[in-house]
Amino acid sequence: MNVWSQLSAAQQKALLARPAQQDQSALQARVQTIIDTVKENGDKALLDFNQQFDNNQSEQLIVPQNEIDNSPALLSTELKTAIEIAFNNITKFHQAQLPVTKTIETQPGVCCELRYQPIQAVGIYVPGGTAPLPSSVLMQGTLAKLSGAKTIVLATPVKGDMAINPAILYAAKLCGVTTLIKSGGAGVIAAMAFGTDSVPKVNKIFGPGNSYVTMAKQLVAQQATGVAIDMPAGPSEVLVIADEGANPTFVAADLLSQAEHGEDSQVVLVSNCETLINETKREIDAQLSTLSRKAIAQKALLNSPFILVDSIESAIKVSNQYGPEHLIVQTRNAADIVDKFYNVGSMFVGDYTPESAGDYASGTNHVLPTYGYSQVYSALNLMDFFRTYTVQTISQSGLAQLANSILPLAEAEGLDAHANAVSIRLQEAKL
Amino acid sequence: MNVWSQLSAAQQKALLARPAQQDQSALQARVQTIIDTVKENGDKALLDFNQQFDNNQSEQLIVPQNEIDNSPALLSTELKTAIEIAFNNITKFHQAQLPVTKTIETQPGVCCELRYQPIQAVGIYVPGGTAPLPSSVLMQGTLAKLSGAKTIVLATPVKGDMAINPAILYAAKLCGVTTLIKSGGAGVIAAMAFGTDSVPKVNKIFGPGNSYVTMAKQLVAQQATGVAIDMPAGPSEVLVIADEGANPTFVAADLLSQAEHGEDSQVVLVSNCETLINETKREIDAQLSTLSRKAIAQKALLNSPFILVDSIESAIKVSNQYGPEHLIVQTRNAADIVDKFYNVGSMFVGDYTPESAGDYASGTNHVLPTYGYSQVYSALNLMDFFRTYTVQTISQSGLAQLANSILPLAEAEGLDAHANAVSIRLQEAKL
């Protein structure tokens, strides 16, 4: 246990520091080679990488539409319903974010509009691994569907000769995925950025992945014209604030649900109650023993500070300084202090609001800024699937009035032709 | 003149291709050295770079507040008014974009909010050069002020022993700039990203610049925790669509007002009328002779295609394929076809709506995606100065209902502790 008030500012900063990221230059060179190979050999390169990295010998890159359409029959009723509830709640929450054109007449005769365009073609990456991740499809695909994107590409790897899990297929079906690619890693990121015979070129690539995928996203965002990415990736993290009235069983369960994500996950407990901290530790030990991912969670807990503060006010300051991806507030006054937090990805208020609700089903997005990026990046939201542009229409008299601003500024900036474009028009205007 | 219908698809694509960007690896190494020097030596490095790059020997990095406060007295009434009109219109247009919290009850007892936080500390870069750029201060600073950012840093270089131009100072005053740094280039970008004794660390860096500045922004966005940048930069460009009724004098003036920006500017004229194209060329020659930046504009025009199309419908397709930063539509049916355009940064509709109105004073932003990025990046808007996060509060019965989605999904994804965090709570819930 770390007693916050006994630490110097430098010690406090060190306690909240994320683990340093590795030197990326060797990784960058390897990933660049993969990208260049896909640019040169297209689909053939993807098939080669499928063999090499996933022992997948299949010649089939694109999942046929009938496999997607038939997926519901392969699911248990329970899992099918679970996917539908999540899809409906995510839709409700994000539908409220649909933008509308804003029209402002800034001066008489000067009509300015802010308009929104769905990004035409989006790519969504969903990692493979030991278990399928239908929630990852839903958290991105639902937004793509709502935006009205014309092309929704989903890429996910399969191991050996496995089929894509029907939960993934059904989530893809609900989200209106237009192309589903069986391929993973940096190669398929390059394929979506530059296009191949089978893979449509997209304008923006979303989704989590390993270090190869993350590096590939960064590189193609710099190298492919008109391609953007969602946000920088980092290990997942949670900060829990709990007071003396909190239930240590709940607190322990929340810390473990973050710790089981990966060995590099960070979990932080901040409390004004030493007893709560000690009881939570005992509860963690008790709950750990039943978890299938016990070893992963244990490793993650090694990096994870438990901090004793003087007051909940002090806990708020710790959270704002750390900037957690997930913040869970289990204090008696939780509802009253919500407005005091900033630099947070997603906040869970009260004893009965576990992070796993937001991870799956409440409707909020689980794609969130982590690793300190909550100071500046947003939780994934519907605007990430739109772009804004402006439209203006000016009348002759509107332009004559505006000339009082344009002409002196153009002169000050030494841009004659900018001034000419106005004065030539005013010579012709019927005012 | 290029006749669009006589070109193959490949020739059309080549005609609309932007000039290739140079290999960036040598530049990257040079800029990284500058960044590392600033990280190590702080203010001292900035002063050294001021000497080295700008022949500025002054020991003063930060402009005293009284210089900013006294700036109006140094301006002509005309220029002061011009700045104020622009500031007021930019404020009006962007104020309408102020976000409000959205609260959605996705299921009974499941309350989800989307909230907005101003980015706390922002940095704005304004290039130096032969003339001051007060418009660049206004187009970024007004938004920072509207957002409620606590720290607004403005950085701009000065040559030799010059003072900062009073038009820049006055624009900074109107925008509530909190720190004004006299320093330019990659060094000051690094200073804003990492912080020095004099320069506050910021969370997001905005603004145009030369290739060093652009590279520095890219590198710090990858290397500094919690630092983002506005958008990728590229040469400025305009596409003008004009029909037989357009005024070739206006069209020529608009093309030249883009061409004078820089030798790498691109201007494209698309028309369904050969006579209009020929008359515009003659008008360009006539207007060119009077411009102080004639040599720059002439060079830019060498890269710039004039395209004859069969119809305005075809012109719309050319524009959507090119994706122009600025689009000017001078056709008789301009108002009717606005909705048919996409992939555009800012659109100017009708004969009396020159680009220079939006560059300076109408209220729309002049920081726009270029070089094909209008497929995916937005015109600078107020949301670029905010981040979004979510807050949720779930009741005991709300969680019990949501469990029907969370538990099967957690099981499918093999995440036991995610399920535990719900089921442990439901054991205690009073339902």
Side-chain angles (χ1 to χ4, degrees), chain A residues 82 92 106 115 135 222 254 257 260 292 339 344 346 351 362 377 387 390 392 405 413 416 418 425, chain B residues 82 92 106 115 135 222 254 257 260 292 339 344 346-347 351 362 377 387 390 392 405 413 416 418 425:
Chain A
K92 269 189 215 166
T106 53
R115 292 193 177 212
S135 65
Q222 286 163 40
D254 290 339
S257 76
E260 76 174 341
S292 58
D339 292 349
V344 55
S346 190
D351 294 343
S362 63
Y377 285 93
R387 55 176 298 276
T390 53
Q392 61 200 282
S405 179
E413 298 192 356
D416 305 352
H418 281 62
R425 281 175 165 89
Chain B
K92 269 189 214 166
T106 52
R115 291 193 178 213
S135 65
Q222 285 164 40
D254 289 340
S257 76
E260 76 173 341
S292 59
D339 292 351
V344 56
S346 191
M347 192 170 163
D351 294 342
S362 63
Y377 285 93
R387 54 175 300 276
T390 53
Q392 61 200 281
S405 179
E413 298 192 356
D416 305 353
H418 280 62
R425 281 174 164 89

Side-chain angles (χ1 to χ4, degrees), chain B residues 303-378:
Chain B
N303 293 322
S304 297
F306 287 57
I307 301 173
L308 179 67
V309 288
D310 296 334
S311 63
I312 295 302
E313 282 299 316
S314 174
I316 294 169
K317 283 183 193 147
V318 172
S319 177
N320 291 345
Q321 180 177 340
Y322 180 69
E325 180 190 16
H326 304 96
L327 169 63
I328 305 179
V329 182
Q330 297 182 38
T331 64
R332 298 322 92 203
N333 64 346
D336 302 331
I337 60 176
V338 170
D339 292 351
K340 297 188 176 179
F341 291 94
Y342 54 92
N343 295 351
V344 56
S346 191
M347 192 170 163
F348 300 80
V349 181
D351 294 342
Y352 282 83
T353 313
E355 186 198 311
S356 45
D359 287 342
Y360 286 120
S362 63
T364 60
N365 214 289
H366 80 195
V367 181
L368 300 167
T370 186
Y371 204 74
Y373 281 103
S374 62
Q375 292 169 54
V376 62
Y377 285 93
S378 294

Side-chain angles (χ1 to χ4, degrees), chain A residues 194-210:
Chain A
F194 295 98
T196 69
D197 289 343
S198 299
V199 182
K201 172 177 164 51
V202 304
N203 302 121
K204 192 166 182 179
I205 301 173
F206 297 83
N210 62 18

Side-chain angles (χ1 to χ4, degrees), chain A residues 33-265:
Chain A
T33 305
I34 294 175
I35 292 173
D36 293 341
T37 308
V38 171
K39 278 176 77 171
E40 197 170 314
N41 298 335
D43 288 345
K44 168 90 172 54
L46 294 183
L47 292 170
D48 289 348
F49 290 136
N50 278 355
Q51 283 199 21
Q52 187 181 331
F53 295 122
D54 291 314
N55 192 28
N56 168 3
Q57 316 284 335
S58 166
E59 292 289 314
Q60 186 196 63
L61 267 184
I62 305 296
V63 178
Q65 187 61 41
N66 68 331
E67 277 190 40
I68 299 174
D69 290 339
N70 297 338
S71 58
L74 304 173
L75 290 172
S76 71
T77 309
E78 265 188 348
L79 185 52
K80 185 168 168 291
T81 305
I83 291 171
E84 288 163 0
I85 293 171
F87 173 74
N88 289 336
N89 286 344
I90 297 166
T91 298
K92 269 189 215 166
F93 184 65
H94 292 85
Q95 202 159 32
Q97 302 168 29
L98 276 168
V100 285
T101 297
K102 293 182 185 67
T103 305
I104 308 291
E105 195 173 13
T106 53
Q107 290 194 187
V110 181
C111 175
C112 300
E113 292 178 275
L114 187 74
R115 292 193 177 212
Y116 299 85
Q117 172 195 329
I119 294 173
Q120 304 285 297
V122 299
I124 295 167
Y125 186 78
V126 171
T130 48
L133 295 173
S135 65
S136 188
V137 179
L138 293 174
M139 288 293 175
Q140 304 175 88
T142 308
L143 282 63
K145 183 181 189 179
L146 276 171
S147 76
K150 287 185 184 158
T151 303
I152 305 175
V153 181
L154 177 67
T156 196
V158 291
K159 289 282 174 199
D161 57 358
M162 287 172 68
I164 290 188
N165 186 285
I168 298 276
L169 294 175
Y170 186 48
K173 178 180 160 74
L174 290 177
C175 297
V177 165
T178 56
T179 304
L180 205 171
I181 315 163
K182 286 202 282 190
S183 186
V188 80
I189 299 295
M192 292 193 285
F194 295 98
T196 69
D197 289 343
S198 299
V199 182
K201 172 177 164 51
V202 304
N203 302 121
K204 192 166 182 179
I205 301 173
F206 297 83
N210 62 18
S211 58
Y212 279 70
V213 168
T214 300
M215 177 58 75
K217 283 169 65 186
Q218 281 179 27
L219 292 177
V220 299
Q222 286 163 40
Q223 294 166 10
T225 302
V227 174
I229 58 172
D230 47 358
M231 68 179 87
S236 194
E237 62 201 22
V238 73
L239 186 146
V240 180
I241 297 178
D243 66 5
E244 65 293 337
N247 185 327
T249 317
F250 297 0
V251 175
D254 290 339
L255 295 171
L256 286 170
S257 76
Q258 188 60 52
E260 76 174 341
H261 266 299
E263 293 176 1
D264 57 358
S265 288

Side-chain angles (χ1 to χ4, degrees), chain B residues 119-358:
Chain B
I119 294 172
Q120 304 284 297
V122 299
I124 295 168
Y125 185 78
V126 170
T130 48
L133 296 172
S135 65
S136 188
V137 179
L138 294 173
M139 287 293 175
Q140 304 175 88
T142 308
L143 282 62
K145 183 181 191 179
L146 276 171
S147 76
K150 287 185 185 158
T151 302
I152 305 174
V153 182
L154 177 66
T156 195
V158 291
K159 289 282 174 199
D161 56 359
M162 287 172 69
I164 290 187
N165 186 285
I168 298 275
L169 293 175
Y170 186 48
K173 179 180 160 73
L174 291 176
C175 297
V177 165
T178 57
T179 303
L180 204 171
I181 316 162
K182 286 203 281 191
S183 186
V188 81
I189 299 296
M192 293 193 284
F194 294 98
T196 69
D197 289 343
S198 300
V199 182
K201 173 178 162 54
V202 304
N203 303 122
K204 192 166 183 179
I205 300 173
F206 296 83
N210 63 18
S211 58
Y212 279 69
V213 167
T214 300
M215 177 57 75
K217 284 169 66 186
Q218 282 179 26
L219 292 176
V220 299
Q222 285 164 40
Q223 294 166 10
T225 302
V227 175
I229 58 172
D230 47 358
M231 69 180 86
S236 195
E237 62 200 22
V238 71
L239 186 146
V240 180
I241 297 178
D243 65 5
E244 65 294 337
N247 185 327
T249 317
F250 298 0
V251 174
D254 289 340
L255 295 172
L256 286 170
S257 76
Q258 188 60 52
E260 76 173 341
H261 265 299
E263 292 178 1
D264 56 359
S265 288
Q266 253 205 327
V267 306
V268 183
L269 173 61
V270 184
S271 178
N272 60 345
C273 173
E274 193 168 349
T275 311
L276 183 279
I277 293 177
N278 289 327
E279 285 177 4
T280 299
K281 284 183 173 173
R282 275 194 292 275
E283 265 299 323
I284 286 175
D285 290 337
Q287 293 179 28
L288 251 179
S289 60
T290 68
L291 298 181
S292 59
R293 296 167 69 93
K294 176 180 170 180
I296 293 170
Q298 274 177 318
K299 279 233 174 127
L301 286 165
L302 293 177
N303 293 322
S304 297
F306 287 57
I307 301 173
L308 179 67
V309 288
D310 296 334
S311 63
I312 295 302
E313 282 299 316
S314 174
I316 294 169
K317 283 183 193 147
V318 172
S319 177
N320 291 345
Q321 180 177 340
Y322 180 69
E325 180 190 16
H326 304 96
L327 169 63
I328 305 179
V329 182
Q330 297 182 38
T331 64
R332 298 322 92 203
N333 64 346
D336 302 331
I337 60 176
V338 170
D339 292 351
K340 297 188 176 179
F341 291 94
Y342 54 92
N343 295 351
V344 56
S346 191
M347 192 170 163
F348 300 80
V349 181
D351 294 342
Y352 282 83
T353 313
E355 186 198 311
S356 45

Side-chain angles (χ1 to χ4, degrees), chain B residues 66-87:
Chain B
N66 67 330
E67 277 191 40
I68 298 174
D69 291 339
N70 297 337
S71 58
L74 304 174
L75 289 173
S76 70
T77 309
E78 265 189 349
L79 185 52
K80 185 167 168 293
T81 305
I83 292 171
E84 287 164 0
I85 293 171
F87 174 74

Side-chain angles (χ1 to χ4, degrees), chain A residues 258-298:
Chain A
Q258 188 60 52
E260 76 174 341
H261 266 299
E263 293 176 1
D264 57 358
S265 288
Q266 253 205 327
V267 306
V268 183
L269 173 61
V270 184
S271 178
N272 60 346
C273 173
E274 192 168 348
T275 313
L276 183 279
I277 292 177
N278 289 327
E279 286 178 3
T280 299
K281 283 184 173 172
R282 276 194 292 276
E283 266 298 324
I284 286 175
D285 290 338
Q287 292 180 27
L288 251 179
S289 60
T290 68
L291 297 182
S292 58
R293 297 165 69 92
K294 176 180 170 180
I296 291 170
Q298 275 177 316

